[in-house]
Amino acid sequence: MISPFLPMRVRGAIWYQGEANVGTGPQRGMDYYGCQFSAMIADWRVKFQLEDMYFGFIQLAAYPASHNGQLPMLRQGQLAALKLPKIGMASAVDLGDLGSPFGSIHPRNKQTVGKRLAATALALEYGQKMVYQGPMAQSASFIKGNMISSSLASVSVKVDFMADTLGTGLAMQEVTCPQKLQSAPYCAGFEVLSAADKKWYPATGHIQGESVMVTANIATKSNPQAESILTVSYGFSDWPLASLCNKEMFPAIPFVMNITSSP
């Protein structure tokens, strides 16, 4: 694919692909894509003889993939590339477009995609001091839990973010699930996984300084402790309810994270 361009001098590359790898089976899924995508980037850098060549890519936009929850897994696989140096990721999780005449897999708002990609290139390749990334979760801690009935408890989890992705601060946008997707398990914002019944419960997130406090009501018959909640997630669905961003309007990166400790 790149062989004809190898004699040319290049400064970097951008990549928008991944939808065909959503699903299960050969050459699909999070682990396969994460490994192969990172290997491809490394190979391009060798071929172009630029060991620190800038490489920008798009984290896949929201669309109803109908692959039994495999689209958010593919997005997780894309994150593996960020372990390499000088990699810019422009997230499009908030740019879903059910009305696109080209199909919802091809959202029309490429201007915003281009601006977000340009920000990564300006920061990583050209050294401009600017925000180029949305908030990325770093850790999650159980804060408290209390019974509100004989079989229901309220729990709170604190999510902290990488300092260099906060920009000038966290922000929340008003978002809703498209009506045609409300009857299917496509949309998700914040959720917590209960240890008692291994079920996911919808949650709400509230900004507290540089963190987000996630609260949910879960089914339980005993006073909840740190071990009562196994995992917290955000936007982990085909169509993320991408309400969280920084004040520069870069969307937060969807995540699924184990509860590691109490503060």
Side-chain angles (χ1 to χ4, degrees), residues 88-145:
M89 182 180 75
S91 181
V93 296
D94 59 335
L95 301 179
D97 185 2
L98 287 178
S100 172
F102 312 106
S104 60
I105 199 171
H106 297 294
R108 289 167 287 185
N109 185 357
K110 296 301 192 290
Q111 292 89 348
T112 299
V113 170
K115 290 176 180 177
R116 290 175 182 173
L117 263 181
T120 70
L122 290 171
L124 296 173
E125 180 61 26
Y126 295 96
Q128 293 193 19
K129 302 297 183 183
M130 61 187 298
V131 179
Y132 65 91
Q133 181 72 73
M136 294 190 71
Q138 180 171 258
S139 63
S141 303
F142 179 86
I143 299 299
K144 63 178 180 179

Side-chain angles (χ1 to χ4, degrees), residues 23-64:
T24 58
Q27 301 186 12
R28 286 186 168 88
M30 177 179 71
D31 294 335
Y32 178 90
Y33 193 86
C35 178
Q36 294 297 307
F37 186 38
S38 297
M40 186 199 76
I41 296 171
D43 181 64
W44 282 24
R45 287 173 166 174
V46 170
K47 293 291 198 306
F48 282 109
Q49 301 181 44
L50 290 170
E51 64 180 19
D52 63 345
M53 181 180 77
Y54 161 81
F55 193 98
F57 71 94
I58 310 300
Q59 186 180 46
L60 297 184
Y63 73 95

Side-chain angles (χ1 to χ4, degrees), residues 64-77:
S66 299
H67 285 290
N68 194 28
Q70 291 301 307
L71 176 53
M73 299 298 288
L74 196 285
R75 293 192 189 106
Q76 288 294 108

Side-chain angles (χ1 to χ4, degrees), residues 28 50 85 87 109-110 128 131 166 177 182 192 204 220 244:
R28 286 186 168 88
L50 290 170
I87 302 294
N109 185 357
K110 296 301 192 290
Q128 293 193 19
V131 179
L166 291 172
C177 183
Q182 290 179 358
V192 297
T204 57
T220 183
L244 183 63

Side-chain angles (χ1 to χ4, degrees), residues 47-252:
K47 293 291 198 306
F48 282 109
Q49 301 181 44
L50 290 170
E51 64 180 19
D52 63 345
M53 181 180 77
Y54 161 81
F55 193 98
F57 71 94
I58 310 300
Q59 186 180 46
L60 297 184
Y63 73 95
S66 299
H67 285 290
N68 194 28
Q70 291 301 307
L71 176 53
M73 299 298 288
L74 196 285
R75 293 192 189 106
Q76 288 294 108
Q78 290 182 299
L79 298 181
L82 297 179
K83 297 177 182 178
L84 300 174
K86 206 179 284 189
I87 302 294
M89 182 180 75
S91 181
V93 296
D94 59 335
L95 301 179
D97 185 2
L98 287 178
S100 172
F102 312 106
S104 60
I105 199 171
H106 297 294
R108 289 167 287 185
N109 185 357
K110 296 301 192 290
Q111 292 89 348
T112 299
V113 170
K115 290 176 180 177
R116 290 175 182 173
L117 263 181
T120 70
L122 290 171
L124 296 173
E125 180 61 26
Y126 295 96
Q128 293 193 19
K129 302 297 183 183
M130 61 187 298
V131 179
Y132 65 91
Q133 181 72 73
M136 294 190 71
Q138 180 171 258
S139 63
S141 303
F142 179 86
I143 299 299
K144 63 178 180 179
N146 59 278
M147 300 299 297
I148 55 179
S149 75
S150 60
S151 60
L152 197 65
S154 173
V155 294
S156 298
V157 173
K158 179 186 176 186
V159 179
D160 292 312
F161 297 83
M162 297 179 183
D164 59 353
T165 66
L166 291 172
T168 55
L170 294 171
M172 286 279 191
Q173 302 182 83
E174 186 76 26
V175 296
T176 57
C177 183
Q179 186 172 2
K180 66 184 298 184
L181 300 182
Q182 290 179 358
S183 60
Y186 286 119
C187 298
F190 289 98
E191 297 180 299
V192 297
L193 177 63
S194 170
D197 55 13
K198 303 301 189 293
K199 290 183 179 180
W200 286 97
Y201 289 86
T204 57
H206 302 281
I207 295 171
Q208 290 190 359
E210 296 183 345
S211 305
V212 170
M213 191 67 69
V214 179
T215 58
N217 292 336
I218 64 171
T220 183
K221 294 183 179 180
S222 60
N223 194 48
Q225 306 296 322
E227 60 271 15
S228 301
I229 303 298
L230 298 175
T231 307
V232 59
S233 69
Y234 166 76
F236 209 73
S237 62
D238 288 359
W239 195 282
L241 295 178
S243 58
L244 183 63
C245 57
N246 53 30
K247 292 181 180 178
E248 287 73 18
M249 301 306 293
F250 289 95

